[in-house]
Amino acid sequence: MEANNQKDDIPAISFTSVRKSYEQEGQTYDVLKAVTGDIQQGAIVAVLGPSGSGKSTLLSMCNLMKTPDHGEVKIYGKEVRDWNVNKLRRTAALAFQSAPVLDGTVRDNLSLVQKLHQTQLYSPEELASLTGLSPELLDRSAKDLSGGQLQRLSLARTLANPSSILLLDEITSALDPVSALEIEELIKKQHQEKKLTVMWVTHNMEQAKRVADTIWFMADGRLLEIAETDTFFSRPQHEAAREFLKGGTR
Ligand code: ADP
Ligand code: MG
């Protein structure tokens, strides 16, 4: 397990005054407005909020898919831009909705991590079995997979890394409810067995209640609320959170 030999009291992930803006047609849009918050080692945090609130942008800064304009993002106390990028991405592995697939078979895609890093926790067969991809898919072209199968493939590729931090972005959005539950169980089991830290962006409130110990609620580029899961759902502190939970702004 990489970087899991860190002192337990160092946060796994730490954001300090993180800002990000985009220029579009001469206008500046502030996507993240001074986001500050820590995720402790071993936590499962569900990141909730209306679409466009900055959830994916924040998540993708943890493994240098994007970088802040201002502020710092630390993984185990070390700023992401001071990490070797390959090592960072093995330590904090990202799975997302529409991960690009490589030309070639599902097996080729599942061997990718091994080729890149000379390290692979599981064989392609084990990865397929873990994520519920049937073995006969291994020799099919990855481009022919359905949306749900692609999500499983993306997660399988992520789990091939010896990561101690999982960054998950809407990884069950293309799955039926039963398949989504299977994936939740898989993540919970991995979390327990490997003492993982999980930062999980989801739009599924029931999923957040089932998996998360902590909720981060984002709105309009701000991290408005950090609360224990039960507390967030029973007593949200901000009007924006109450509106969101009513379903008004999802
Ligand atoms: P969420 O995941 O909460 O839906 P995102 O982090 O994807 O939010 O995006 C936040 C906002 O930033 C959105 O309004 C999105 O359109 C905008 N945005 C994200 N990436 C870019 C980009 N590369 N260029 C311009 N705008 C972007
Ligand atoms: Mg998103």
Side-chain angles (χ1 to χ4, degrees), residues 22 31 50-57 66:
Y22 291 104
V31 175
S51 76
S53 55
K55 305 181 297 295
S56 295
T57 304
K66 292 186 178 160

Side-chain angles (χ1 to χ4, degrees), residues 33-174:
K33 302 168 182 170
V35 171
T36 296
D38 289 347
I39 296 182
Q40 300 307 324
Q41 295 180 37
I44 303 187
V45 173
V47 184
L48 308 179
S51 76
S53 55
K55 305 181 297 295
S56 295
T57 304
L58 189 66
L59 194 75
S60 62
M61 286 176 172
C62 297
N63 79 348
L64 283 172
M65 298 283 282
K66 292 186 178 160
T67 48
D69 298 334
H70 299 280
E72 291 189 319
V73 179
K74 289 180 179 169
I75 298 293
Y76 296 117
K78 182 168 161 180
E79 222 285 326
V80 285
R81 284 158 287 193
D82 295 332
W83 279 77
N84 168 287
V85 65
N86 285 333
K87 188 161 185 212
L88 178 68
R89 289 177 181 171
R90 282 201 300 272
T91 303
L94 177 69
F96 54 107
Q97 232 166 341
S98 48
V101 292
L102 302 177
D103 287 335
T105 64
V106 171
R107 187 190 303 280
D108 295 336
N109 274 265
L110 291 178
S111 315
L112 169 75
V113 175
Q114 191 163 35
K115 284 183 199 129
L116 279 178
H117 302 311
Q118 303 299 311
T119 166
Q120 175 122 338
L121 281 185
Y122 305 101
S123 68
E125 282 75 13
E126 287 170 321
L127 288 169
S129 158
L130 262 179
T131 53
L133 280 170
S134 72
E136 63 261 30
L137 291 176
L138 283 171
D139 296 308
R140 296 241 192 102
S141 164
K143 304 257 188 239
D144 297 338
L145 296 183
S146 71
Q149 289 166 339
L150 282 173
Q151 284 200 327
R152 291 177 193 271
L153 175 62
S154 165
L155 181 60
R157 278 193 341 204
T158 302
L159 295 178
N161 291 281
S163 324
S164 55
I165 299 174
L166 286 185
L167 308 167
L168 308 176
D169 196 351
E170 311 247 6
I171 57 163
T172 63
S173 59

